[in-house]
Amino acid sequence: MADFGTRELYGGAITVELPTTLIDASDIRQIPDHQEVFLSNKTLTSIIFEINQFVKQPDPAALYFHFTDVIAPPDHLAEELGAPTKLSLAEDSLKDFPAYLVQGGIISPEVDKKASTSLPIEWQQTPLTTNQLTKCYQLVVRMDKYSTDFCVRVNVPLKELSGKEEADAEEAVAKGIMEKIVATLDIKEFGLFASD
């Protein structure tokens, strides 16, 4: 199992324990201010923390919205999302906020690079594609009084892994990371968020 250490997010307003080997994506590219992104140093697995506007819908609809909001056609859900799991976050700062875990997959059709045409996929009558699956684990903390839905997403692009054994191992790592996030996510400064 990976070694974990405390990471400060959003200038220290939030802390969480993450694997020490993760790369802070802001060291290599520009990241939007409302996000913190970390990358595996061995695979394409990523962890994204995101401050989102509170969705004024019942929890199931809000969770579905946040899970699918990042999907742009031709990508699509691999299957219907299952029922979310309600969680109790461990740290006192978050224990009174409803939190849910949603799991699912996103299919990304990719054009076969050996195809004989250079036309964009949407112009091709019968494009040669292969479907690539990304497994996603998303934590949503619903913070109505701060007009915020705080989302944490762990993405595991299975296309980059060679075979079921490696894919199963990487999914187990992703689940372990999410379990550690649930156990250690702590808000130090609520001034980070807007309030009603």
Side-chain angles (χ1 to χ4, degrees), residues 24-40:
D24 185 336
S26 67
D27 291 341
I28 54 177
R29 66 175 191 249
Q30 189 166 358
I31 302 297
D33 289 343
H34 72 290
Q35 291 183 345
E36 294 273 357
V37 180
F38 296 89
L39 309 170
S40 168

Side-chain angles (χ1 to χ4, degrees), residues 1-16:
M1 189 63 175
D3 290 331
F4 285 81
T6 300
R7 297 280 187 131
E8 292 188 346
L9 310 178
Y10 304 100
I14 298 175
T15 60
V16 67

Side-chain angles (χ1 to χ4, degrees), residues 33-141:
D33 289 343
H34 72 290
Q35 291 183 345
E36 294 273 357
V37 180
F38 296 89
L39 309 170
S40 168
N41 66 335
K42 294 181 182 174
T43 68
L44 291 181
T45 295
S46 61
I47 298 94
I48 302 170
F49 298 84
E50 192 167 31
I51 299 169
N52 290 313
Q53 183 70 33
F54 185 81
V55 174
K56 294 183 179 181
Q57 295 181 30
D59 290 344
L63 302 176
Y64 182 84
F65 173 82
H66 287 301
F67 194 93
T68 59
D69 187 45
V70 299
I71 303 174
D75 293 1
H76 57 276
L77 283 176
E79 56 193 33
E80 285 300 312
L81 292 179
T85 304
K86 189 163 187 182
L87 303 171
S88 295
L89 298 179
E91 295 293 340
D92 287 344
S93 64
L94 288 165
K95 68 179 183 180
D96 293 331
F97 295 104
Y100 301 88
L101 181 64
V102 181
Q103 298 180 43
I106 298 172
I107 295 286
S108 300
E110 291 195 355
V111 178
D112 186 339
K113 302 292 191 262
K114 298 175 198 154
S116 60
T117 180
S118 60
L119 290 174
I121 187 171
E122 60 270 17
W123 293 1
Q124 297 176 36
Q125 288 192 344
T126 55
L128 297 174
T129 62
T130 55
N131 287 334
Q132 307 295 344
L133 177 65
T134 297
K135 187 73 182 211
C136 305
Y137 304 89
Q138 183 162 309
L139 171 68
V140 181
V141 184

Side-chain angles (χ1 to χ4, degrees), residues 11 25 107 128 149 173 176 187 193:
I107 295 286
L128 297 174
D149 282 328
V173 168
I187 296 181
F193 311 111

